[in-house]
Each structure stands twice: as C-alpha cells, then as structure tokens.
Amino acid sequence: MDGAGGGRRAYIGSYTSAGGRGITTAAVDPDTGALTVLHHTDAVPDPSYLVPGPGGGMLYAVSETEDGRAAALSLADPDRPSPAGAPVPVEGAGPAHLTCAAGQLITANYTSGSVSSLPLRPDGTLGAQPAVLPHSGRGPVRGRQEGPHAHAVVADASWRWLLAVDLGADSVWVYRLDHAAAALRPHGRTPMRPGSGPRHLAFHPRGDRAYVVNELVSTVVCCRWDRASGVLEPAGEVGTLPAGSGAEGENHPSELVVSADGRWAWAANRGHDSIAVLALEPYGEGMELVTTVPCGGHWPRDLALDPAGRRLYAANERSGDVTWFDLDPDTGVPHRAGSIQAPAATCVALG
C-alpha cells in the first residue's frame, strides 16, 4: 500500500494490554527497507495479527481478547487506518490469526479452539453473523494441550482450500472454500506428531508442499499437499535449533516464511531469540538447518518478507521492537540492518 507521501507502508500490531500502541503505521524506505513510524491507533484492543484486505483498501485485525472480535479499518488514508464500523464478535475466544478468502474474513480462535468465518460486504466492512466451526481433540503436553487451540488459518494458492493449524490438538484441519456461498466446508483432518504443537504453516511457491512450524518441539515439518484432493501428508522434519544449543526446553518457534523462489525458509525461535535459516530441496521433502542468527531482540513472535524478497522483518514482542534484515540471495542468511521501537509488537503486515 502506497502512502500519501509515496512508498510502501508497514502495519505493526501489538498488545495494548501489555503497553503496546495498538496498530502502528510505518513508512518503508524503498531503497533500504528501513521503517519510519508515522502514526499509532489504539482503536482496536490487542490487535495481535493484521492482514491487508483484497485490493488494499482495508486492513483487518483480530482483537485477541476473551470476547474475541475482528475489526475492519479503512486505508483511504494509508498512513492513518481508521475503523470502518465497530469490531465484530467472532463468537470465539482469543483469536490469534486471520485471513481473507472466498468473500470471508476467517479467524483462528486460540483459546476456544475454533475457526470463525465472517462475511465481507462489498465495501469491505464486516458482516455480523459469524459461522463457527469448532475443533476437537487434545495432546499429551500438560498445560498446553488440554483441548484444541486453533492458531493459524491459511488458504492455498488454488483458493479452493483453507488449512487451519491447531496447536492443542496436534492437527491440521482442511476446509473447502465455497466461493458461491462465501462459506467453509469441513473436508478432512491431518494428525501431526503427538506433542509437537503445530502453530503456523506456509506453502511452497510451487503449491505442492506446505511447511508446518511446531511450537512445542522446535521443528519444521515438510508436508506433501495435493491440491486436487485436499490431502496433506507429513513427510520430512528438521529442527530449528543448532545441535547442542541447550535451548530445546525453553524455545517456542512462532512464525515461518518461505522465499518466493522456494530455496529458503526462515523460522523465528522464541527463547533462543534467533531466526533459523532452512535450505529447502528444489523437489522432494528435504530440508537442512543452515544456521541461526540473532533476531535483534527478545521473543520474536512474527516474521514478514518484503514483496521483493530482499528483506525480512521480525516483530520482537518482549524487547518491544521491529528489526529488519537484508537477505543474502546466495546463502539465505539475514544480516541485521536496523530497528525501531514497537512496544509489545506481535506482527508486521506489509501493505
């Protein structure tokens, strides 16, 4: 999204309940990727995850509260997102992730372990009657897997399917996207390794593989994805920590992103406070941990790639900053280039 003064914008979400500023708008320097803060709004409580809407006229946010809500903000002025109506209940607790697909805004409700679908009106505002699809199941890790905890919702490149990653139930649910009815249709469920705690998912650009990052065991799983049948099948697995790091029990990976050319993936390590660099096989399920680099702060909750694939942004929640890195195109290794303060930062959405 280009602002009034030219150039792209970044939108940073944060926990207002932990001292965050809500949604921060920052200008993105087209040459260096550097961020310059322009504006803050706390119109949405605890906007922990943001996504630009189709066409770029709206920004959508979850309000990660017990009475979970979703909000639409107009980007008529890209520098100053403004509420387009009041936040709408999703009828699920603790929504932590969202996406737009098939005329719907879809949220992953962590606390209640469900997925909600809100209709999008023609003007981009939110309808008020969500459809709620509850998950079921549990895992073996006490205190984290007593029930389902949906943590991410991601549409595949064909726009026929939506995958919902559930940390509590060690599963990935597959839904069919019904474009005509603007609805989700349950299709299948893929069990993951017990106790792994799958958190987020990213597709390979070719569309035949998906990579799942596991919060409870510090690994990434490569899965085969059949877009014709909507079947996900786990295959290879690799750790996100160097051998002998001693951080295994204290590390909780968060986000994973894949390069546009499919050569690299990067995973954020909370606890080890690093970014894991993974080399991906051009074909097949092989992965290799190349190295880890410091994330520039403490507790990296989110990663974002710029559209050109030249830079990586890390939202470091507990140190309260967003750090950006230049990416080496030959090695995939990020090199720290700068940072800005962003208290209780939880995500970076590049418009």
Side-chain angles (χ1 to χ4, degrees), residues 65-211:
T65 57
E66 187 62 28
D67 63 343
R69 295 172 183 262
L73 298 101
S74 170
L75 295 179
D77 179 352
D79 293 349
R80 304 175 71 89
S82 59
V88 174
V90 301
E91 297 184 7
H97 196 260
L98 78 168
T99 194
C100 295
Q104 309 160 77
L105 185 74
I106 303 161
T107 66
N109 308 318
Y110 179 81
T111 305
S112 57
S114 61
V115 170
S116 296
S117 167
L118 286 160
L120 290 175
R121 298 190 179 110
D123 64 358
T125 58
L126 298 175
Q129 295 297 324
V132 181
L133 297 96
H135 289 180
S136 61
R138 60 189 302 169
V141 179
R142 296 183 63 181
R144 296 300 311 276
Q145 295 187 309
E146 73 291 346
H149 291 305
H151 213 306
V153 281
V154 182
D156 84 327
S158 74
W159 292 101
R160 294 178 59 198
W161 310 101
L162 180 105
L163 277 62
V165 185
D166 196 300
L167 185 151
D170 287 323
S171 296
V172 178
W173 267 259
V174 179
Y175 295 96
R176 183 169 61 85
L177 289 166
D178 186 335
H179 290 254
L184 293 178
R185 308 298 183 194
H187 177 74
R189 173 181 178 178
T190 300
M192 305 299 284
R193 181 156 65 90
S196 59
R199 177 184 172 98
H200 278 200
L201 174 152
F203 283 98
H204 189 279
R206 198 170 54 243
D208 61 350
R209 282 173 281 165
Y211 300 90

Side-chain angles (χ1 to χ4, degrees), residues 14-17 21-23 41-50 59-65 69-73 82-83 85-87:
S14 63
Y15 283 126
T16 55
S17 60
R21 297 165 178 160
I23 299 172
T41 176
D42 60 0
V44 179
D46 286 348
S48 65
Y49 202 81
L50 311 171
L59 181 71
Y60 298 103
V62 293
S63 185
E64 193 181 337
T65 57
R69 295 172 183 262
L73 298 101
S82 59

Side-chain angles (χ1 to χ4, degrees), residues 322-348:
V322 172
T323 301
W324 58 92
F325 301 80
D326 295 326
L327 293 171
D328 187 313
D330 296 320
T331 66
V333 174
H335 298 279
R336 188 183 186 279
S339 68
I340 58 169
Q341 291 186 343
T346 56
C347 79
V348 180

Side-chain angles (χ1 to χ4, degrees), residues 207-261:
D208 61 350
R209 282 173 281 165
Y211 300 90
V212 179
V213 63
N214 292 318
E215 178 172 335
L216 301 183
V217 294
S218 297
T219 65
V220 172
V221 176
C222 178
C223 300
R224 304 180 189 96
W225 170 243
D226 186 334
R227 72 183 88 184
S229 62
V231 173
L232 187 75
E233 181 184 2
E237 186 169 1
V238 68
T240 65
L241 295 173
S245 68
E248 288 80 3
E250 303 298 327
N251 190 65
H252 305 283
S254 55
E255 183 61 288
L256 173 84
V257 293
V258 178
S259 65
D261 62 8

